[in-house]
Amino acid sequence: MTDPISSHRDGEVLVVVSNNPPVNALGQAVRAGLQREIAAGLADDAVKAIVIRCDGRTFFAGADITEFGKPPQGPSLPETLDAMEASDKPVVAAIHGTALGGGCEVALACHYRVAVPSAKLGLPEVKLGLIPGAAGTQRMPRLVGAEAALPLVVGGDPISAKKAESIGLVDAIVSEDNLEADAVAFARSKIDQPVPRASEGTKNEDGVRNPAIFDDFRRSQARKIRGFDAPNAAIEAVKAAGELPYAEGVKKERELFMKLMTGTQSAAMRHYFFAERAANKIDDVPADTPLIPINKVGIIGAGTMGGGIAMNFLSAGIAVTILEMQQDALDRGTKTMRRNYENTAKRGRMTDEAVEKAMGLLSPTLNYDELADCDLVIEAVYENMDVKKQVFAKLDEVVKQGAILASNTSYLNIDEIATATKRPGYVLGLHFFSPANVMKLLEIVRGKETRDDVLATCMKLAKTIGKVAAVSGVCPGFIGNRMLSPRQQQANALIMEGANYWDIDDVLLEFGFPMGPFQMGDLAGTDIGWHRDPSRIETIRDALCARGRFGQKAGKGYYDYDEARNRTPSDETKQIIADFAAKEGKPQREISKDEIRERLLYPMVNEGAKILDEKMAQRASDIDVVWINGYGWPLYTGGPMFWADTIGLKTVVEGLEKHDLPVSDLLRRKADAGEKFNR
Ligand code: T1G
């Protein structure tokens, strides 16, 4: 293992360089090398200033996450940074790429920070269920103020070099391609001057003068941080920076950090960090599989899904030809896309030029021939096998050889669809989730004949359009919807046995989901797919619709809604359900929230085990990635399979048996062997 840290002199300035691909993570060898080179520089009278920079794509991107959970190895980052900050020789951080987490803390412990325009700085530890652990929560507020520090430490999103300069985190923006020389010149200009130390800064007094900023910030983030431990700890740590002397503040940070590090939420979120990256890998497809260039995409259908899918490509700068059967449907779809972009621009998350650029890449058409030169065509038409096969047969005829033909179907059999073409190797599923321009999940459904280059191309394309993708085999509902259906079945069974429908929603809300199935039904509208005959009452949904209980839009659905759309359980709905249960001869009983939670979630884990056993998912962590990104499974539990590991597979099996629910072979085998899904 070559030493990742080296140094060289530029006159009286010592330049310390880290070369630890891929992201200069601050692993043990990097920390030891930094400590060694900095100590030598400080002890060398010929050295009047030090510059710290990194080779490769980025300045230090944080602690080495693979070291977490293992016995700590010295030197610790804090001790290295404190020694460096204590020196009277100016130390300058030369930043490019993404100075994140511990990397940003290295920069904070330097006396000065210069950055290239494209650099980003941030403290994303909360996204791993942690808070900065090398005094970042204490130095940052002292340098930039508590108010400016809060979004960085609690939100975890990086900021641009320009923004960093505006709040005083960066001292100078230097030229993009002359970082070392500019940093050395900057360091030289600071020689023999008193050095500023972030730990001695007083900008954090803004939080002392106005302590309300902490609770105000907590309230402003309430929805986003619901259920997470780290954000509140981060607010406490930033607040402590204004209340305690520096050394005490660092102790408080360490205490909060260790509590999080040893908790289940951080283990779950670190699992997710690697799970999301593992999902990109297709085990039996060589990493160097040649990719098919995708310069032009065709979309069949300009409805909600087709339009949403098209926007993903337009936003990524890829030309789209979108096809409809009727002009008015085409116009409606195009107008909706423009309106969506304009709303984003109104919220300040997109410039007007970007809107025009995206819409300028769109070619609406009624003519299949316009799709001939597309490299990829995705159909988002009516969920009917015959319709899909007709579309694929037509596409096979019209679209150039070598182009990929994808279906956005949410459950139909991709292999059967492929039989409608003479190019089954170029057919696969690209299952987007509605709204397709917002939801991050993409299920890539691999047909039995789908070629490696087609798969590899779509996996890469997923990242290009900002999606998190996982590969699924061909089975009803693929991965996500296949696990949703046992939960839905149990929810419907539970209310027929007497469980309160609002308890079912509350159990899922309390677990961390954004909402439960009955709230969802009211939001979407209970009348979707209703036969519209109020005299024909065959299901609870029919009964609700017959009473005009169409959901939020009607002011009542499962729940009654006030004008602010706050929900209240409805006696009428409870009675409708009770009448139905009586008609079906179902005895009613009180059902606890514990039983509800076990019957909703354990069958999902069981279905996940079957998906794994049938090799419909490559790995358990892919299932976690699907449910976190497609259905709002709370990130702080790591996803259904990691959560099952955390509570113990034996507990899941016992719960399923207690409620007379099926236990799959793989789940039982693993539980009996004391194993986990995620090794
Ligand atoms: N440690 C270990 N490996 C890491 C890593 C890290 N911090 N960051 C990335 N990798 C690996 C990643 O697994 C992948 O590996 C490869 O690098 C490329 O990553 C003390 C306690 C920097 C923006 O949270 O946000 O510091 O799959 O695919 O899309 O207070 O990586 O190739 O084998 O993501 O260009 C805080 C996490 C840590 C930053 C680059 N830092 N990383 O994105 O590439 S906690 C973070 C990222 C901490 C201190 C605390 C991104 C990136 P492989 P990639 P990318």
Side-chain angles (χ1 to χ4, degrees):
M1 168 88 152
T2 51
D3 186 337
I5 303 291
S6 63
S7 65
H8 59 270
R9 290 282 293 282
D10 182 334
E12 71 286 45
V13 177
L14 178 74
V15 181
V16 177
V17 184
S18 171
N19 177 20
N20 184 33
V23 296
N24 283 301
L26 287 150
Q28 192 279 334
V30 171
R31 296 194 302 275
L34 275 178
Q35 185 179 59
R36 181 192 69 238
E37 293 303 325
I38 291 166
L42 298 182
D44 180 344
D45 291 345
V47 171
K48 303 291 184 206
I50 297 177
V51 165
I52 298 180
R53 71 168 186 78
C54 291
D55 275 339
R57 60 162 124 162
T58 179
F59 191 75
F60 307 105
D64 184 338
I65 308 175
T66 60
E67 284 183 353
F68 292 170
K70 294 173 189 158
Q73 285 179 297
S76 80
L77 193 57
E79 67 186 277
T80 306
L81 300 186
D82 290 348
M84 176 177 77
E85 187 189 45
S87 88
D88 293 326
K89 292 182 185 177
V91 181
V92 178
I95 299 168
H96 75 294
T98 51
L100 297 175
C104 188
E105 290 174 299
V106 170
L108 282 165
C110 291
H111 304 116
Y112 301 97
R113 289 148 293 278
V114 301
V116 298
S118 61
K120 288 193 163 70
L121 296 91
L123 291 169
E125 287 87 340
V126 283
K127 299 186 179 195
L128 296 170
L130 297 169
I131 61 171
T137 67
Q138 305 303 305
R139 287 195 172 100
M140 186 67 88
R142 283 179 167 75
L143 184 68
V144 307
E147 193 139 22
L150 279 168
L152 281 168
V153 182
V154 182
D157 293 330
I159 56 175
S160 67
K162 191 157 174 286
K163 170 79 177 160
E165 186 187 36
S166 72
I167 64 170
L169 175 54
V170 159
D171 298 285
I173 304 277
V174 296
S175 55
E176 195 67 48
D177 47 16
N178 209 14
L179 177 56
E180 177 170 323
D182 289 357
V184 167
F186 184 95
R188 202 164 272 139
S189 75
K190 301 295 179 188
I191 288 173
D192 294 338
Q193 291 178 30
V195 293
R197 294 187 181 90
S199 60
E200 295 165 358
T202 56
K203 280 285 203 60
N204 55 320
E205 281 168 9
D206 62 341
V208 181
R209 285 192 301 277
N210 176 15
I213 62 171
F214 300 102
D215 284 342
D216 293 349
F217 188 76
R218 183 181 279 110
R219 261 193 299 281
S220 72
Q221 301 299 305
R223 222 164 58 80
K224 210 172 115 190
I225 68 175
R226 179 171 69 94
F228 288 89
D229 296 335
N232 276 310
I235 293 171
E236 286 315 302
V238 171
K239 194 170 175 200
E243 294 167 338
L244 302 172
Y246 177 73
E248 295 304 307
V250 170
K251 279 207 193 85
K252 176 76 179 164
E253 174 192 89
R254 176 59 40 186
E255 191 188 294
L256 291 165
F257 175 85
M258 286 316 294
K259 189 155 174 282
L260 292 167
M261 174 62 95
T262 52
T264 52
Q265 288 201 359
S266 181
M269 293 166 78
R270 295 194 315 264
H271 155 74
Y272 176 75
F273 175 86
F274 292 110
E276 182 179 310
R277 286 153 181 78
N280 283 331
K281 296 176 177 89
I282 308 169
D283 290 339
D284 61 339
V285 171
D288 60 356
T289 300
L291 304 181
I292 300 167
I294 303 292
N295 299 309
K296 184 178 170 188
V297 172
I299 307 278
I300 315 286
T304 312
M305 283 313 284
I309 293 170
M311 290 176 71
N312 291 308
F313 294 97
L314 296 172
S315 304
I318 298 171
V320 171
T321 297
I322 190 161
L323 177 134
E324 258 294 354
M325 293 290 104
Q326 309 291 334
Q327 189 62 47
D328 60 345
L330 189 60
D331 295 344
R332 216 172 23 253
T334 312
K335 216 162 42 231
T336 303
M337 290 158 74
R338 171 171 287 280
R339 192 178 61 245
N340 286 341
Y341 275 131
E342 284 168 354
N343 287 343
T344 304
K346 272 197 207 103
R347 287 199 299 273
R349 292 182 27 221
M350 194 176 183
T351 63
D352 295 342
E353 295 75 28
V355 172
E356 293 316 318
K357 183 168 175 292
M359 291 306 290
L361 288 166
L362 180 67
S363 310
T365 181
L366 301 174
N367 176 359
Y368 263 90
D369 292 342
E370 306 265 310
L371 300 172
D373 62 343
C374 286
D375 306 298
L376 161 68
V377 180
I378 306 171
E379 61 77 20
V381 299
Y382 184 56
E383 280 289 84
N384 169 286
M385 184 54 85
D386 293 341
V387 171
K388 301 264 189 213
K389 282 175 148 178
Q390 280 160 20
V391 167
F392 271 77
K394 180 77 177 161
L395 290 174
D396 195 32
E397 209 181 287
V398 168
V399 182
K400 70 182 181 188
Q401 284 310 305
I404 300 170
L405 305 181
S407 170
N408 172 57
T409 181
S410 56
Y411 67 96
L412 293 175
N413 186 309
I414 292 294
D415 294 328
E416 189 177 342
I417 291 173
T419 61
T421 74
K422 293 184 287 302
R423 62 175 99 179
Y426 287 88
V427 174
L428 80 173
L430 291 179
H431 179 215
F432 290 82
F433 286 72
S434 184
N437 53 309
V438 173
M439 293 300 282
K440 284 185 75 72
L441 179 64
L442 175 65
E443 281 181 326
I444 297 180
V445 186
R446 179 179 193 170
K448 61 177 183 300
E449 296 190 54
T450 304
R451 292 160 52 104
D452 284 358
D453 56 351
V454 169
L455 273 174
T457 298
C458 289
M459 184 55 84
K460 178 84 174 60
L461 191 61
K463 198 157 181 169
T464 306
I465 62 174
K467 296 299 178 191
V468 175
V471 175
S472 170
V474 177
C475 60
F478 311 134
I479 297 173
N481 286 343
R482 176 168 166 180
M483 289 169 67
L484 178 63
S485 93
R487 189 181 92 181
Q488 208 46 47
Q489 280 158 21
Q490 282 303 307
N492 295 332
L494 279 159
I495 59 172
M496 292 297 277
E497 295 169 32
N500 296 318
Y501 64 90
W502 57 88
D503 282 343
I504 288 166
D505 283 340
D506 289 348
V507 157
L508 292 175
L509 269 173
E510 286 151 21
F511 186 78
F513 283 95
M515 65 171 68
F518 301 107
Q519 288 172 275
M520 181 74 85
D522 279 355
L523 180 67
T526 56
D527 56 339
I528 289 185
W530 179 45
H531 46 65
R532 302 207 170 300
D533 175 0
S535 64
R536 201 175 116 208
I537 296 181
E538 290 149 5
T539 62
I540 289 172
R541 193 275 295 272
D542 290 347
L544 291 173
C545 290
R547 312 280 182 93
R549 286 187 162 273
F550 299 130
Q552 282 195 19
K553 61 191 174 190
K556 59 180 185 176
Y558 283 97
Y559 296 91
D560 293 329
Y561 292 91
D562 63 20
E563 51 291 340
R565 296 206 166 194
N566 297 314
R567 64 188 168 110
T568 312
S570 144
D571 294 337
E572 182 182 44
T573 301
K574 185 70 185 161
Q575 193 53 53
I576 287 171
I577 295 169
D579 293 347
F580 241 87
K583 212 168 71 178
E584 307 249 319
K586 283 265 180 198
Q588 302 283 288
R589 65 185 171 90
E590 288 284 306
I591 299 183
S592 70
K593 281 189 165 184
D594 282 346
E595 177 176 341
I596 290 172
R597 183 174 49 256
E598 289 168 1
R599 287 178 56 181
L600 291 179
L601 301 183
Y602 291 174
M604 292 178 65
V605 171
N606 188 60
E607 197 64 34
K610 287 162 72 177
I611 287 168
L612 275 178
D613 216 6
E614 297 163 22
K615 304 209 178 331
M616 290 295 126
Q618 292 188 90
R619 50 188 85 85
S621 60
D622 281 7
I623 297 172
D624 292 333
V625 165
V626 164
W627 264 84
I628 286 169
N629 287 288
Y631 301 81
W633 186 288
L635 172 63
Y636 52 76
T637 66
M641 309 311 271
F642 188 88
W643 171 72
D645 288 342
T646 307
I647 63 171
L649 302 190
K650 273 195 172 46
T651 305
V652 178
V653 170
E654 284 158 9
L656 288 166
E657 289 176 332
K658 180 169 58 171
H659 304 302
D660 299 326
L661 293 167
V663 176
S664 68
D665 295 347
L666 179 67
L667 173 57
R668 186 178 297 286
R669 274 204 312 274
K670 281 194 169 289
D672 291 349
E675 287 173 5
K676 292 176 178 241
F677 285 121
N678 287 289
R679 275 172 300 290

